[in-house]
Amino acid sequence: MRAVAAAARGLDRERLAWKVHLALAGAQTGFALFPIFGKLALGSIPPFVLAAIRVVSAALLLELVRRASGAQPIPRADRGRLFLFALLGVSFNQVLFILGLSMTTAIHTSILMSSIPVFTLATAAFLRHETLSPRAVAGMLLAATGAFLLLSAQGFDWESRFFRGDLLLLANCLSYSLFLVLSRPILARCEPLTFVTAIFRYGAIPIVLVSLPAIRSFSPSSVTPSAWASLAAIVFFSTAIPYFLNTWALARTDASRVAAYVFFQPLVASGLAILVLRERPGWMTAVAAALILAGLAVSIRRARLPLRPLP
């Protein structure tokens, strides 16, 4: 009987592993589509307006799903920390990302997003949430060299929109990495749907306040049909769905493992940027991407995905 029970537990863990892998792959595919849809939407929608509409729409959509599913509300004792997580994972993250995307290319955006695991590993090690091995340090140095090379392509010129956009994207990576590491413990006792709904609800408030001047001068009649369609795709396929999948997976594995799936982003986003947006990366961009991806490959161990089933 013990052997049968052990075999059943092993099978359950194997099924959970596949679900986690699929959730992470789906989440990163959705995130990878954002630079493409974002560039199309930013053609006639200002960055702050896009950020406000994206977050408010996603918050309303997630709240409707949460109520329909009967998910429990956030415990009162956790609400204070949720505001911090909302700032890091939604407010700062969304504004920095969209502003950066509006200034640089979709290919640069997807490559720099690949540095999220580097920031996550460093943050987790600094806060003593995870152990930083020599291999991880070597990988981080490789990835950092790639990011430095990408920035140097703009000559470190603050007057360059591309340079400023790349810096904003790196700041976005740091903010999201802090969110991944710090929010992991609370997910051990909160339902993923409840958690992601709450951080979008709290995170939407600062974004709307900052975006008010841009919203007042915004003219919906000037927005093209393709921009509206891209905005709808951003809300559903690049925000609500991937955030929920990412949060569900984060509750069941380490933050660095979740971040590792950022590998998907440059592959999907860069290919689509070339096909859809007609962007053409130079040789320095290609070398920088190779260094960042090589750094991730070195720093992330090949061990099986460590699972942490919720009670």
Side-chain angles (χ1 to χ4, degrees):
M1 292 297 292
R2 290 182 179 178
V4 173
R9 286 195 297 271
L11 183 59
D12 288 342
R13 288 179 63 82
E14 193 67 28
R15 288 174 178 169
L16 178 60
W18 275 108
K19 289 180 180 178
V20 171
H21 280 298
L22 290 173
L24 290 172
Q28 292 306 322
T29 300
F31 288 141
L33 293 173
F34 187 22
I36 311 304
F37 289 132
K39 275 295 184 184
L40 295 173
L42 285 167
S44 54
I45 301 177
F48 277 107
V49 175
L50 176 59
I53 295 176
R54 181 194 186 194
V55 174
V56 171
S57 299
L60 292 173
L61 178 62
L62 288 166
E63 181 63 26
L64 289 174
V65 174
R66 186 193 70 81
R67 294 193 178 192
S69 65
Q72 296 298 315
I74 291 290
R76 187 178 298 275
D78 292 326
R79 292 178 183 175
R81 275 174 293 180
L82 273 178
F83 187 72
L84 170 63
F85 301 151
L87 287 176
L88 294 172
V90 176
S91 302
F92 297 156
N93 177 39
Q94 298 300 316
V95 171
L96 290 170
F97 183 92
I98 292 177
L99 283 176
L101 176 63
S102 69
M103 296 179 183
T104 190
T105 66
I107 290 179
H108 273 217
T109 300
S110 63
I111 291 173
L112 289 172
M113 288 304 98
S114 301
S115 65
I116 287 177
V118 176
F119 282 105
T120 304
L121 280 170
T123 302
F126 180 77
L127 298 176
R128 298 182 180 180
H129 287 220
E130 298 183 29
T131 302
L132 194 61
S133 66
R135 181 178 177 179
V137 172
M140 289 166 58
L141 290 174
L142 272 174
T145 302
F148 181 84
L149 186 62
L150 204 61
L151 289 174
S152 68
Q154 310 306 324
F156 295 101
D157 181 10
W158 184 252
E159 297 300 319
S160 168
R161 284 176 56 86
F162 291 103
F163 179 72
R164 282 179 286 151
D166 289 349
L167 281 181
L168 288 171
L169 290 171
L170 286 174
N172 160 76
C173 292
L174 175 59
S175 178
Y176 190 67
S177 297
L178 285 167
F179 164 74
L180 286 178
V181 174
L182 295 176
S183 66
R184 176 64 182 80
I186 198 174
L187 283 168
R189 57 182 182 275
C190 289
E191 296 179 2
L193 181 58
T194 298
F195 176 82
V196 75
T197 301
I199 65 166
F200 264 89
R201 183 170 62 248
Y202 295 148
I205 297 171
I207 291 180
V208 170
L209 292 176
V210 171
S211 303
L212 280 177
I215 293 173
R216 289 196 186 100
S217 60
F218 174 59
S219 174
S221 61
S222 64
V223 179
T224 64
S226 64
W228 284 123
S230 297
L231 178 58
I234 287 170
V235 172
F236 284 96
F237 302 119
S238 298
T239 308
I241 294 175
Y243 259 91
F244 170 72
L245 292 175
N246 215 45
T247 302
W248 183 89
L250 181 59
R252 291 159 174 83
T253 190
D254 293 327
S256 60
R257 295 292 174 178
V258 174
Y261 265 79
V262 174
F263 268 123
F264 272 67
Q265 287 198 37
L267 299 176
V268 176
S270 296
L272 290 175
I274 293 172
L275 292 174
V276 178
L277 302 178
R278 306 298 181 186
E279 293 184 2
R280 293 294 180 264
W283 69 269
M284 192 174 289
T285 300
V287 173
L291 284 170
I292 290 174
L293 293 177
L296 295 180
V298 170
S299 62
I300 297 168
R301 300 185 302 273
R302 292 184 178 179
R304 293 181 63 188
L305 191 71
L307 300 177
R308 294 183 179 178
L310 293 179

